[in-house]
Amino acid sequence: MPEKPPHNKPGGSRGSETGTVTYLDSTLWRQLLAADSDEEFYSVWLALQARMIEGVYAGIVVLGSPDTGPFAPVALWPRGSTSPGNLVGIAEKILQEKKGVVSRSEASGEGASPDKVNINVGYPIRVEGRVHGTAAFEISPRAQDELQTVMRQVQWGLAWVENWILRRNLHGGSRIQERVTAALDLAAVALQEEKFKAAASSLVTQIASRLDSDRVSLGFSRRKHVRIHALSHTAQFKKQMNLVRAIGTAMTESIDQAAPLIYPDGDGTSQHVLRAHAELSSQQGDASICTVPFLDGAGRGYGALTMERSADRPFDQYDADLFDAVAALAGPILEEKRKNDRWLIFKAGDSFRAMAGKVLGRGHLVAKLVTAAILLVVLFFTFAEGNYRITAKTIIEGSIQRAVVAPYDGFIHEAHVRAGDTVVEGQVLCSLDDRDMRLERLRWESQREQFLRQYREAMAEGNRANVKILREQISQAEAQMALLDEQLTRARMAAPFAGIVVTGDLSQSLGSPVQRGQVLFEVAPLEKYRLKMRVDEREIEQVQVGQKGVLILNSLPEEPMTLTVQKMTPVSAAEEGKNFFIVEAGLEEVSDRLRPGMEGFGKISVDRRKLIWIWTHELIDWVKLWVWSWWP
């Protein structure tokens, strides 16, 4: 009697009873591993695939000479079938196009419903880049995402067929035969364990023992990072965080490039990036590293195996091919086991259904009230919006600020103003003691008169040499007098424009010495101001030139003022453990009560957003940053 197809619910979950039976059917797996003929191997392989894929009505394996053919069926499912039905057509199409095909056809397989349109899926069998045949299945209709899962399962399963063909075709090569045998044996180790952790630990330990590796690590991708699940000969490895992080980075490097990586690269011809492998090797005393990724049907990596040896035993291409074969066979098995061990999601589903029964059923008034309150809160925060404004500490400065400095070394003689006083243009702010300079000028003036008298006597005597010397001495004296005259005029320092004295009080420093260039006063205009706003670095990206806002000063809380963002500077400042960026803004209307140095808080209006986001985005960003900083 032909073997009847499993009439499972089409499109069912891989975690259903049938999927579990597939991995626990040790009889079929033993037959697959012990097969010594093509007919037996392909028949058992088809039976396993039919059990792994739900809703299978018929299956076929077609083989022939690589690329050229002719091709002919070598196995049919259900066993005992004599007609491949619609699968011949899709097999021919696959061999012609040399790629996976999904098509619809009228039901024809045994057990298929005659009034429905079924789906045919298939994928070519490639070995070393050449098409040796194809495998195709007739299945029940299902959704697009479930069809992708079926196609991926077919691709995973074909790894067994490809390794079988490779082993049969290259039976005379001892090393290749050893590679295929080792890959199948190690994949069987992963199949023997029921739980994922046990399977992963057994696999890496067997790989390390059989393939002469000092340490073997296994990891799977998780949110763009690789989590290490097993290390050979090690049950607990959490304390070795630096090692685990380095291995995970090396695995990520291989997964991102979707290729096996060997470090060191013996011939130096590799085009792949090996930076993470070099760091891991350096940490482990220049060890040899080989990493092979687990790839799905679309070529995307979802995990990896990393092997380590001492530097005197480097990995070669044969080792990489062997590890790659192990990864191709064991990777899908471990991935399925890992997914099947995630029971918490089912418990969460049961809890949700129980709560729904209390809310929708009789009684349980408290549960109903709590649920209603939660729904009202959710609805409020779903639709309620508000103005999103960025608050920043703000200080008022003059639009320009002119410094009045000492023109030369001297002493304070008079001080007419101090900080806070208003001044007009040209008003004297202070003056320096000029008595020494006046005495110095008198000395040079007397010296000049003496030189002039000597000059006239030399002219009368006709002494040309003395005339020339005395002429230069007279010019020197006149230059010194001119310099002293200029310094005397600058001894009285005046305001450069009308405004307010921002800094400087010399009333308590009369007679004190000052040095040339020392700042004595700073003057700012009263009619023009600019605002310096300290915006938190976490919100600076929301600020744009031209945005409006409101300023409230500490000294004028009853008088809000409208501001406009004018400039964003790349200057940062640290205060109270936080970093701020300086944003410059201007006031639309200037009050005569404003003074430079006033402080307050400005709020820049960004746009309207959900209230829940406005109130919680800072906390959410902090949690994200904290989690990322601790994420391996």
Side-chain angles (χ1 to χ4, degrees), residues 451-468 470-471 474:
F451 290 152
L452 282 173
R453 185 172 59 256
Q454 294 176 0
Y455 175 77
R456 286 193 289 269
E457 292 176 356
M459 288 287 291
E461 296 174 356
N463 192 340
R464 294 183 179 181
N466 287 340
V467 168
K468 187 174 182 180
L470 290 170
R471 186 185 299 124
I474 292 171

Side-chain angles (χ1 to χ4, degrees), residues 208 211-216 232-233 287 307-313 315:
L211 303 184
D212 191 24
S213 296
D214 295 337
R215 178 170 49 234
V216 179
S232 60
H233 306 101
M307 280 65 65
E308 302 174 48
R309 289 179 183 169
S310 58
D312 58 347
R313 294 178 296 146
F315 292 98

Side-chain angles (χ1 to χ4, degrees), residues 483-511:
L483 175 62
L484 291 170
D485 289 339
E486 178 64 22
Q487 289 180 342
L488 287 170
T489 60
R490 295 170 63 185
R492 296 166 58 85
M493 282 154 283
F497 48 74
I500 183 172
V501 178
V502 179
T503 60
D505 183 3
L506 303 179
S507 61
Q508 303 297 321
S509 303
L510 298 180

